[in-house]
Amino acid sequence: MTDTLKSVSELTALEIRDHLLSGQETVDEFTVKLGQFADATDQRIKAFAHRDDRVVALQADDLQRERAAGHLPGALYGVPVAVKDIIDTIDFPTEYGSPIHQGRFSVGDATVVARLRAAGAVLFGKTVTTEFATTQPGLTCNPHNVNHTPGGSSSGSAAAVAAGMVPIALGTQTNGSVIRPASFCGVYAFKPSRGLLPRTGVLDQSPSLDEVGVFARNLEDIAKVTEIMSGDDGYDFATARQAPRRLFDVAMSEPPLPPKFCFVKTPWWDQVDPEAKEAYEAFVAHMGDCVEFVELPDIVRNVSSWLVTINEVELAFCLQKEWNHNRDLLSPTLRERIEKSMAITGNDYLTAKDRMPHVTSAFDEYFGTYDAILCPAALGAAPAGLASTGNPIMQTAWSLAGLPALNLPLMNLSNGLPLGVQAVGAYQNDARLLRSARWLVSEFVKRNTT
């Protein structure tokens, strides 16, 4: 049974499904209450680009009619989900965070959205993104302190979950756009292995790097939602021949042996905020013999230039229509990026692309010994101000390698802002990462209470 002491803004996705199936409330009754909470909260946070109670009510009515007709409820029956505004949805606009596409409606749902709807989820609204999921911020504030950034580019998705407006939100990551905002906002988040989730119906920003990610209140919900969305859809080349993954049962199971973790400070440790350094070192000491410090391979020092080269060239290619026809409506920052990308040679681009599988395989020896690599999720807490979404450097190596990564919201700094621990798993072994991370969180909590 659902914890009746929890408010609508505290329930997890699976708790909401159980609550609605128990008959305590209808889907419509629950989403109306959550909508009232979200609308009041979002006046301060500004996480949503689009929300419409009429659209939500129509979805709720459809679910209730189907259940009354004897149809079996889906695994996410009645669960409200928010979607980043670069992911197509048929009943809400998808505007890419740009005035160029204001009022744009897609002809259909993105594959991941369609699969969530088929499982009974309710599309609750579209969340704010930076311009074309790049660096120009939107209006979203950090729920823990509205004078600080929520991170980006999945700004609204991270903030909406952190503020209790939805239990689940979808984002995307090209460099650090899921894990970093999750750390800043203090929520769980997952960027799966490259190719696990189809990107059909998602804005192409950098097809070699783009991935769909999930924000949630716990790892169980992340495993269930990711499992539902996984697998080849017949369109996205990256998911070709990828079968749907069995993530939830594995994530919920006990590891056969206590997992082993290594913590890497990374080549960018000197950029980490001093208090954050202390927090990470205290975390490793607190976890005792299940976590040990190790060094990363030398190849990691070059990942930033390779990722930037790939990203800039592909970004300019993907936005060529906007560049050619609506250049004046692009932000000065984005125009400058596109102009600079034109000076990158084909040889530099192909060399950077060639490095990707080498970076991926450079970590194989680590996963022969350790169940996951741990490292900072960010250089510190969310920076003050909304002019920047922060530095993604702590995600760069894993994004280039296509490895699965999690944010574990385990710490807070003296200013009250969250700080996450990033957990990285072996390529295409997402279930092992989720199971190991769940064990780590449980062990961390246990050691804090004894």
Side-chain angles (χ1 to χ4, degrees), residues 14-27:
L14 297 182
E15 286 174 340
I16 289 171
R17 180 185 185 272
D18 289 346
H19 174 73
L20 296 174
L21 291 179
S22 73
Q24 297 176 61
E25 283 185 295
T26 65
V27 179

Side-chain angles (χ1 to χ4, degrees), residues 361-382:
S361 61
F363 300 103
D364 288 349
E365 62 179 294
Y366 291 79
F367 298 116
T369 303
Y370 303 104
D371 293 272
I373 298 171
L374 306 179
C375 70
L379 297 178

